[in-house]
Amino acid sequence: MSALREKVLDYLKAHHAMSIASHGEEGVWAATVFYVNDGFRLYFLSAPTTRHSRNIAHDARIAITIQEDCADWPEIKGIQAEGRAAEISGAEESRARELYGEKYPVVGKAAQAPAFIVKALAKVRWYRFEPESLYFIDNSAGFGRREAVDCRSQA
């Protein structure tokens, strides 16, 4: 595996929130969700009534970002990607739940979770984001440094 792919996979595992840009009948929209990764495939959950979920049902093409929260331009680091999102079920949903529970134990141990979490989980659907192109931004390696990452095969 290339050093860049390994660096990006480590980055995905170390972070939690991704911003989604979507488009639907009401226009463009952005939202932030927690995610878990399986290689470069990202899983997240959301209520199907949210604007971004309705947008995904209308047009599966989305863009995402995952980034550092920093105060100075040379510290900017993160991921930009575009691809397709879809609601999942069956074995893939079970896999996503398992991975999500490992990263976020309160979700993985629903029997021990607070009642408001259990109630919220009953209303969500699980989604997959499959990147078609992905870039890693790292201003510490040079201002505006953006490298394309081959994310076609799972690592």
Side-chain angles (χ1 to χ4, degrees):
M1 177 184 330
S2 78
L4 178 59
R5 282 175 59 94
E6 189 171 329
K7 182 180 195 177
V8 172
L9 288 169
D10 288 345
Y11 190 91
L12 286 169
K13 286 182 182 174
H15 290 79
H16 300 91
M18 73 173 173
S19 295
I20 297 172
S22 60
H23 182 265
E25 294 175 355
E26 299 172 68
V28 296
W29 192 246
T32 302
V33 297
F34 283 103
Y35 73 90
V36 65
N37 70 299
D38 188 8
F40 290 102
R41 183 176 292 141
L42 306 179
Y43 293 106
F44 62 98
L45 51 88
S46 190
T49 56
T50 62
R51 188 165 168 184
H52 59 275
S53 293
R54 293 191 321 266
N55 286 354
I56 289 167
H58 174 78
D59 184 346
R61 296 171 302 158
I62 65 171
I64 66 103
T65 62
I66 301 165
Q67 66 278 331
E68 304 289 319
D69 184 13
C70 54
D72 200 4
W73 289 28
E75 298 172 9
I76 293 173
K77 189 180 286 188
I79 292 172
Q80 297 172 327
E82 63 182 318
R84 296 189 176 273
E87 188 176 325
I88 59 171
S89 61
E92 187 174 19
E93 179 184 337
S94 295
R95 174 73 175 144
R97 283 178 182 268
E98 177 186 331
L99 291 169
Y100 208 88
E102 290 170 8
K103 190 167 185 175
Y104 309 103
V106 71
V107 174
K109 298 176 183 173
Q112 300 169 2
F116 77 92
I117 294 283
V118 174
K119 186 176 179 181
L121 288 174
K123 298 177 183 178
V124 301
R125 300 289 186 276
W126 291 84
Y127 295 85
R128 168 193 356 99
F129 171 69
E130 193 78 47
E132 294 170 356
S133 63
L134 188 143
Y135 299 90
F136 188 67
I137 292 83
D138 186 357
N139 277 4
S140 70
F143 185 74
R145 174 81 178 244
R146 183 175 112 143
E147 296 180 86
V149 180
D150 179 7
C151 58
R152 289 173 290 173
S153 62
Q154 295 295 305

